Amino acid sequence: MKKLSFILAVVLIALFSFGAYAEIDTDNPIKIGYVGALSGDTALWGQAGLNGLELTAKQINEEGGILGREVQIIGLDGKGVSDDSVSAYKRLVEEYGVVAVVGTNFSSCNIPIAAVADELKVPVIATAASNELVTVDADGNLHPYSFRLCFIDSYMGLLAGSYAYNELGLRTCAVIEDITDSYSTSVGGFMVDTFTSLGGELVAIEEAQNGDNDFRAQLTKIAAKQPDVLFVPWNYENVALIAQQAREVGITAVLFGADGWDTTELTELANGALEGCYYVSRPGFNLPEAAAYGEIYAAEYNVALETECLYGNDGLKWIQYAIETAGTDDSTAIRDALEATESFDGLLGHMSIDPATHNPSRDAAIFKVENDEVVYVGIYQP
């Protein structure tokens, strides 16, 4: 009798679970868009972001969807280029009818998207786009439909500059910036401002641009000044090349960067040139919940882990939070709920939103290259 009761209970639980899944409304899905670089040099980031959204959408749908409705992810290729990213955002809204968009991870793409989002009134959540102008215009006026998940350039610059001066004891600095990239010039400026405000000295500043293959002329000028630290606020593929050429011309300084360095391919591309160097970024897979998700993600896609997948998860979960808080998938109601977020816990940690700037308050971490591997140093709060 006990065995029969147990079997009946199992059957009822299975039927209940199946019923909850079967009752999900698939005829009227909630459509969420994604814009990322799905092709080109940084496609590993864009694809990881899209994978993160799709994996989390699968999990949400298995749990009954959002407000009982299926979640549908629609991803378009912005190619990491501003015009293509703006076009992708507009297509998602006007052709596909999405109620919110996640992406991109480039400030140069999200800055022009912000103005379009204000016109179309569909919120966009940038992932790793850290320039202040992603959410406010040049006069400091808020873009009401533009949000972000990452910390901003000024905070990364503050952390990098203060860690180099206070924790590493470095006293002279140089910087090489990509003058075509608002991320590079912004983060680089804040790094130097912080470092010099603490008593450090700027001995050289050089400019280059994405697409250059030879930085030796600029680096030779920097080498002559013998800085203790060279700030390199570029994306990883350029960082690796700059680092190798810096060592070729005799620069022995510690190289220091920001979240553009954050990829599993960094050390392989750098070929030993970044040993003993540092960067500041999000905690990534070093938080327990993120590590567990990473195992599921790796098994699902059989690819190396990229932190952008965590942004994909957190972007979708934050939209889910906003829809469930508002009780509707109306885009303006979603926007209002996002802006009013006082507490949200994602795989990248806890955050709250400043309603005046739409910038999150959250922790950042320091990483170091040791023995040709990226090592998590820990959360850093100066």
Side-chain angles (χ1 to χ4, degrees):
M1 188 67 178
K2 289 182 179 180
K3 183 176 181 180
L4 180 61
S5 298
F6 174 77
I7 293 173
L8 179 60
V10 170
V11 170
L12 288 173
I13 291 171
L15 288 172
F16 176 80
S17 299
F18 177 78
Y21 181 78
E23 290 175 2
I24 189 172
D25 183 355
T26 59
D27 294 328
N28 185 28
I30 294 177
K31 297 179 181 180
I32 309 296
Y34 175 76
V35 179
L38 302 180
S39 62
D41 293 340
T42 57
L44 79 168
W45 283 340
Q47 191 59 58
L50 180 57
N51 289 346
L53 263 86
E54 291 180 337
L55 176 59
T56 300
K58 177 182 176 182
Q59 294 172 340
I60 290 172
N61 289 333
E62 288 174 351
E63 295 169 358
I66 300 177
L67 302 183
R69 294 163 59 190
E70 179 188 30
V71 178
Q72 185 180 109
I73 304 300
I74 303 168
L76 295 182
D77 187 6
K79 302 177 183 178
V81 178
S82 59
D83 289 346
D84 290 286
S85 295
V86 169
S87 296
Y89 169 84
K90 291 179 71 175
R91 285 187 61 206
L92 286 169
V93 174
E94 296 174 340
E95 295 181 26
Y96 292 94
V98 302
V99 297
V101 176
V102 178
T104 72
N105 62 329
F106 294 110
S107 296
S108 57
C109 298
N110 276 83
I111 290 171
I113 286 176
V116 179
D118 293 343
E119 294 176 8
L120 298 183
K121 300 189 185 316
V122 172
V124 56
I125 300 174
T127 57
S130 53
N131 189 283
E132 278 79 351
L133 297 181
V134 166
T135 58
V136 298
D137 65 20
D139 296 320
N141 299 311
L142 180 69
H143 286 296
Y145 282 83
S146 186
F147 298 82
R148 79 173 94 227
L149 284 161
C150 65
F151 31 70
I152 58 178
D153 289 348
S154 58
Y155 189 58
M156 284 193 287
L158 169 68
L159 293 180
S162 62
Y163 195 87
Y165 187 89
N166 291 326
E167 306 301 324
L168 300 181
L170 307 176
R171 292 296 179 261
T172 58
C173 76
V175 60
I176 181 169
E177 296 178 337
D178 177 0
I179 59 172
T180 67
D181 183 7
S182 56
Y183 162 83
S184 182
T185 56
S186 179
V187 175
F190 286 116
M191 286 175 172
V192 171
D193 287 348
T194 299
F195 188 83
T196 54
S197 70
L198 292 170
E201 179 186 1
L202 174 65
V203 296
I205 181 168
E206 293 293 330
E207 297 176 342
Q209 60 185 26
N210 185 42
D212 291 346
N213 293 315
D214 191 344
F215 302 92
R216 292 177 182 86
Q218 297 95 326
L219 293 169
T220 297
K221 294 178 183 178
I222 291 173
K225 300 296 183 179
Q226 298 183 324
D228 296 331
V229 58
L230 172 58
F231 290 127
V232 188
W234 293 63
N235 288 330
Y236 68 93
E237 69 278 5
N238 287 303
V239 170
L241 186 58
I242 290 170
Q244 292 179 73
Q245 293 179 4
R247 301 314 184 200
E248 288 176 16
V249 302
I251 293 175
T252 59
V254 173
L255 273 58
F256 212 126
D259 61 351
W261 291 32
D262 198 349
T263 175
T264 55
E265 296 187 359
L266 178 67
T267 55
E268 180 180 354
L269 291 173
N271 195 28
L274 288 172
E275 186 68 20
C277 298
Y278 295 80
Y279 67 89
V280 57
S281 188
R282 51 263 173 176
F285 295 95
N286 294 286
L287 300 179
E289 295 84 358
Y293 182 87
E295 292 182 4
I296 299 171
Y297 178 90
E300 181 81 10
Y301 295 103
N302 192 31
V303 294
L305 295 179
E306 292 290 339
T307 308
E308 192 68 15
C309 76
L310 303 180
Y311 276 125
N313 170 88
D314 284 11
L316 178 53
K317 295 293 282 188
W318 191 18
I319 292 169
Q320 178 185 18
Y321 162 85
I323 292 174
E324 291 176 346
T325 298
T328 174
D329 68 340
D330 173 76
S331 293
T332 298
I334 294 172
R335 188 218 77 88
D336 293 345
L338 293 175
E339 183 177 90
T341 301
E342 295 181 353
S343 180
F344 172 78
D345 291 297
L347 297 179
L348 290 163
H350 178 80
M351 76 173 192
S352 60
I353 293 297
D354 180 351
T357 63
H358 288 182
N359 293 328
S361 174
R362 66 183 322 142
D363 290 333
I366 300 292
F367 295 84
K368 181 182 181 181
V369 178
E370 285 184 342
N371 299 318
D372 218 24
E373 293 185 358
V374 175
V375 176
Y376 175 69
V377 177
I379 300 296
Y380 178 60
Q381 295 177 331

